Amino acid sequence: MPLTDVKVTINVASPAPKIGLGRPVIFVQKTGAADYKEYSTLSALQADYAVGTAVEAKAGAIFKQDNRPDKVAVATYATDIKTSMALFYGREWHFALVANDLAADQLAAATFMNDKDFKFLAVQVNTDANRKALKTKKRTIIFDHTIAGEHLDAAAVGDLGSQTVGSVTWKFKSLKGITGRYLNETEINTIDGDFAIAYVVKGGRGQLSEGWFADGSYIDDLHGQDWIKADMENEISYTLGNTPKTPFDARGIGAIEAAMTTTLQRGFNNGIVAMLEGGLPDYSVTTLPRDQVDIQDRALRVYRGGSFEYGRSGAIHEARVTGVVNI
């Protein structure tokens, strides 16, 4: 018997935030059995991790932000971070951080996340070699920051991860407690070439240079995709679990279709789903009627006939305009 009765699979057609979709977990090496604990305040965390420790520093950068999450989790591992990530993957976190910033642990964590289709990893590097080692890893965000004592990875996750999914792109955003760097064109092009993110001074203020993952996909796009998956699974589960019976006929199939539509409309309202000309949302929902569903699936009470599509709203990261001066 599966632990999950409803599964939403999203295939990408291209060569109100849910609890947990903004929560970070900090993975830290510690002697003993792997452990997982959540903290609602920095002072509560400091009771277990003293001021100045790697965990406390990351958490401090998170809690300092205006849009900080409701909780920060800490997960421990004795030797292998991947084992701990697998053990606690089902907990209510969405962004993983590596407390010690060690390249070997970052690469191991990125390798683990590369094989997943849900949740993210954010890491901070301060050398070209460490940055390049993580290039192309899926679902990993590389923050290139060389200022000692600052944690750009934690600050960005802390401020942007918990905002309404779909409402923000990560590029251009300013963060508390992070110093902007004055990079020349060659330096920023090198960082961009590895699909990493720096905190640079532009227009007189510090801001994130980009909003992408190490493989070049955009954070807000995949965060929105994860939100659609989580919300739709919840909506369909609620539909199935809060009625005396969901018939395997037009009534039950219609209820599932309505649940799918609810999620997509909510995603449109949040900014995940694009708007078509005329103001209509760019999504569609299709459900197969009972007589087109495989008879074996009907016998097993498994409905596989629902599908949907939506257009990403995306974001404008650069603009080019032209003008004419009349004499």
Side-chain angles (χ1 to χ4, degrees):
M1 178 181 295
L3 293 176
T4 303
D5 295 309
V6 177
K7 182 174 178 61
V8 174
T9 302
I10 297 178
N11 295 314
V12 182
S14 69
K18 306 306 294 179
I19 294 296
L21 260 73
R23 286 182 183 164
V25 58
I26 304 169
F27 284 90
V28 60
Q29 189 169 17
K30 186 178 180 182
T31 302
D35 185 43
Y36 184 96
K37 187 174 180 180
E38 295 179 335
Y39 303 89
S40 297
T41 65
L42 182 60
S43 59
L45 182 141
Q46 288 169 339
D48 292 334
Y49 298 93
V51 174
T53 60
V55 171
E56 191 273 343
K58 294 282 188 192
I62 293 169
F63 281 114
K64 184 181 293 184
Q65 304 308 312
D66 290 334
N67 301 293
R68 58 187 177 275
D70 60 341
K71 295 178 183 178
V72 172
V74 177
T76 67
Y77 60 97
T79 56
D80 185 4
I81 190 172
K82 290 193 294 183
T83 299
S84 183
M85 293 183 78
L87 180 62
F88 299 122
Y89 185 75
R91 299 295 183 95
E92 288 186 337
W93 60 269
H94 211 75
F95 291 86
L97 301 163
V98 180
N100 57 26
D101 290 337
L102 288 179
D105 286 351
Q106 290 177 338
L107 181 57
T111 301
F112 174 87
M113 197 59 66
N114 188 70
D115 295 330
K116 300 297 181 182
D117 61 0
F118 198 65
K119 303 190 176 187
F120 309 122
L121 170 70
V123 298
Q124 179 165 305
V125 302
N126 59 14
T127 69
D128 291 351
N130 290 353
R131 187 182 65 239
K132 292 182 181 301
L134 298 167
K135 183 180 178 182
T136 75
K137 293 294 186 184
K138 293 184 292 186
R139 292 185 169 265
T140 291
I141 312 168
I142 308 171
F143 291 97
D144 186 298
H145 200 60
T146 58
I147 300 176
E150 294 187 355
H151 299 275
L152 177 57
D153 55 344
V157 167
D159 191 65
L160 301 171
S162 289
Q163 294 193 48
T164 300
V165 181
S167 68
V168 294
T169 181
W170 289 42
K171 187 176 181 179
F172 310 116
K173 300 304 181 290
S174 297
L175 304 167
K176 287 189 172 181
I178 304 297
T179 304
R181 296 159 64 194
Y182 289 88
L183 300 179
N184 60 41
E185 188 171 346
T186 299
E187 291 170 327
I188 193 62
N189 285 342
T190 300
I191 293 171
D192 283 351
D194 292 331
F195 293 114
I197 303 172
Y199 196 70
V200 299
V201 177
K202 285 185 180 181
R205 66 182 181 90
Q207 57 182 277
L208 293 173
S209 63
E210 257 302 344
W212 50 31
F213 291 100
D215 66 347
S217 56
Y218 287 98
I219 300 169
D220 56 304
D221 282 343
L222 285 192
H223 203 190
Q225 183 174 306
D226 283 2
W227 186 95
I228 292 289
K229 171 183 169 66
D231 192 81
M232 191 172 292
E233 287 178 352
N234 288 339
E235 282 293 329
I236 297 174
S237 293
Y238 183 86
T239 296
L240 299 178
N242 286 272
T243 57
K245 178 180 179 179
T246 304
F248 207 131
D249 59 21
R251 294 167 295 177
I253 294 170
I256 292 174
E257 180 178 6
M260 296 167 66
T261 301
T262 294
T263 286
L264 292 167
Q265 184 61 44
R266 191 179 291 138
F268 172 68
N269 295 339
N270 287 355
I272 298 169
V273 177
M275 177 187 291
L276 297 169
E277 295 297 328
L280 295 175
D282 183 13
Y283 69 77
S284 62
V285 175
T286 303
T287 51
L288 294 178
R290 171 188 168 89
D291 60 2
Q292 293 184 28
V293 174
D294 186 274
I295 191 170
Q296 186 65 24
D297 283 343
R298 296 209 305 264
L300 295 173
R301 300 191 169 193
V302 178
Y303 181 72
R304 305 179 195 271
S307 62
F308 65 92
E309 294 182 9
Y310 73 90
R312 291 171 171 166
S313 65
I316 297 173
H317 280 193
E318 296 184 27
R320 301 287 185 266
V321 299
T322 59
V324 175
V325 177
N326 294 316
I327 299 175

